């Protein structure tokens, strides 16, 4: 579903690469935690999958398509295969919960009757039925993240990318968000979650890919994460 082939990413005016010869393969329906210290390259991986960035060397494939040879006009279609969730929710502050989610369908030209059916269904799924008319500032952080997940998932993309989705939330609220992402994964959606959240990673025991200074230092099924342990040089990449 997602394949990185020897991907190196340099940003302008930086001495070392953000990603250094990264090769990863993530299959359809997998749930993967992408872990590593701040600056290790997690967000860069997510940006490459979205084709917000392009590799300096190597290739990124998503759903069989080589993103480097994809023409610009095909990029919006590519992005429709992805739902994306961020640490800071990124909701439209003047729109209601319903409108925030509906907007994601309006911009891709979905018909009104489709929107009227899909939005309540996804809001029910994320546990926000009854809160359709609230604006983001009238919701808790956890509820705002649920709106963001509803917006990312309403078009049922085959891939959901989540960049530190629990980064602004307390542990109990984080657990609820993680349960929701797990539930989405159980519908067959591939989920890639970048996180520092040791508690979540260690509790859920899913595949863990660890980055350290842009290098994959660990790829482990049912892995754990200990951020206090120096990653590079102490661990080897297993054939997962
Ligand atoms: N647009 C950019 N321009 C220049 N350097 C960048 C850019 N984006 C990221 N970097 C650098 O690339 C490296 C990897 O950053 P990245 O954001 O991918 O890491 P991360 O693991 O997601 O970190 P965090 O957990 O803090 O979000 C860092 O050294 C960062 O400073």
């Amino acid at each position: 579903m997602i394949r990185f082939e020897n991907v190196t990413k340099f940003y302008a005016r930086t001495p070392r690469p953000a990603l250094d010869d990264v090769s990863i393969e993530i299959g359809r329906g997998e749930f993967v935690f992408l872990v590593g210290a701040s600056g290790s390259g997690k967000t860069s991986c997510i940006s490459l999958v979205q084709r917000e960035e392009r590799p300096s060397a190597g290739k990124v494939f998503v759903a069989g398509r080589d993103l480097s040879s994809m023409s610009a006009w095909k990029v919006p279609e590519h992005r429709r295969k992805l739902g994306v969730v961020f640490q800071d929710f990124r909701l439209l502050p003047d729109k209601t919960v319903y409108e925030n989610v509906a907007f994601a369908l309006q911009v891709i030209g979905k018909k009104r009757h489709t929107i009227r059916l899909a939005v309540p269904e996804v809001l029910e799924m994320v546990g926000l039925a009854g809160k359709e008319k609230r604006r983001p500032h009238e919701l808790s952080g956890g509820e705002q993240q649920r709106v963001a997940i509803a917006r990312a998932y309403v078009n049922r993309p085959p891939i959901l990318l989540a960049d530190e989705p629990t980064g602004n939330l307390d542990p109990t609220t984080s657990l609820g968000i993680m349960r929701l992402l797990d539930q989405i994964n159980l519908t067959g959606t591939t989920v890639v979650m970048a996180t520092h959240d040791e508690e979540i990673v260690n509790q859920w025991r899913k595949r863990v890919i660890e980055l350290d200074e842009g290098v994959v230092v660990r790829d482990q099924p049912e892995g754990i994460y200990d951020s206090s342990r120096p990653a590079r040089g102490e661990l080897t990449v297993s054939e997962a």
Side-chain angles (χ1 to χ4, degrees), residues 16 34-43 164 195-196 210-214 217 225-229 231:
R16 68 163 187 89
L34 202 54
V35 305
S38 184
S40 58
K42 305 181 297 295
T43 301
E164 294 281 356
T195 186
H196 289 121
E210 182 167 357
L211 289 162
D212 181 29
E213 296 184 351
V217 289
Y225 180 42
D226 177 359
S227 63
S228 65
R229 200 163 52 157

Side-chain angles (χ1 to χ4, degrees), residues 33 35 166 169-175 178 193 195-206 223-227:
F33 286 124
V35 305
T166 62
L169 306 174
D170 64 63
T172 312
T173 311
S174 298
L175 202 62
M178 185 55 211
M193 172 167 160
T195 186
H196 289 121
D197 195 330
E198 290 182 25
E199 224 173 293
I200 293 276
V201 175
N202 295 337
Q203 190 169 344
W204 291 81
R205 305 302 297 263
K206 304 221 178 244
I224 52 150
Y225 180 42
D226 177 359
S227 63

Side-chain angles (χ1 to χ4, degrees), residues 25-217:
E25 180 141 14
I26 298 172
R28 187 184 296 271
E30 273 200 83
F31 193 118
V32 176
F33 286 124
L34 202 54
V35 305
S38 184
S40 58
K42 305 181 297 295
T43 301
S44 297
C45 287
I46 287 180
S47 305
L48 286 163
V49 173
Q50 289 177 270
R51 218 224 195 212
E52 278 191 346
E53 294 290 345
R54 291 196 203 201
S56 314
K59 286 190 170 180
V60 177
F61 294 85
V62 175
R65 303 291 307 272
D66 177 356
L67 300 191
S68 43
S69 64
M70 181 177 278
S71 33
W73 67 273
K74 283 260 184 195
V75 172
E77 185 188 316
H78 160 66
R79 291 195 181 140
R80 267 174 232 168
K81 294 186 193 127
L82 312 171
V84 191
V85 179
F86 303 94
Q87 176 170 355
D88 56 359
F89 322 134
R90 302 195 191 178
L91 301 175
L92 298 166
D94 299 330
K95 289 194 187 285
T96 65
V97 165
Y98 184 98
E99 289 163 351
N100 262 282
V101 178
F103 190 65
L105 294 176
Q106 284 157 3
V107 294
I108 59 168
K110 291 283 174 187
K111 294 206 168 66
R112 243 193 287 168
H113 80 266
T114 309
I115 297 175
R116 266 194 230 123
L117 288 175
V119 177
E121 193 182 316
V122 79
L123 287 176
E124 169 85 40
M125 179 191 164
V126 302
L128 287 177
K131 299 197 172 163
E132 295 83 353
K133 295 202 170 114
R134 300 228 194 150
R135 291 199 155 66
H137 73 272
E138 298 168 318
L139 298 171
S140 69
E143 287 169 336
Q144 290 185 53
Q145 194 57 297
R146 285 172 189 272
V147 179
I149 293 171
R151 180 181 58 184
Y153 187 62
V154 67
N155 197 34
R156 313 281 157 162
I159 299 170
L160 189 75
L161 306 172
D163 196 353
E164 294 281 356
T166 62
N168 282 342
L169 306 174
D170 64 63
T172 312
T173 311
S174 298
L175 202 62
I177 293 299
M178 185 55 211
R179 280 204 194 99
L180 187 54
L181 295 175
D182 198 35
Q183 193 187 334
I184 287 174
N185 175 239
L186 289 173
T187 67
T189 307
T190 306
V191 179
V192 180
M193 172 167 160
T195 186
H196 289 121
D197 195 330
E198 290 182 25
E199 224 173 293
I200 293 276
V201 175
N202 295 337
Q203 190 169 344
W204 291 81
R205 305 302 297 263
K206 304 221 178 244
R207 179 177 172 191
V208 170
I209 298 177
E210 182 167 357
L211 289 162
D212 181 29
E213 296 184 351
V215 175
V216 175
V217 289

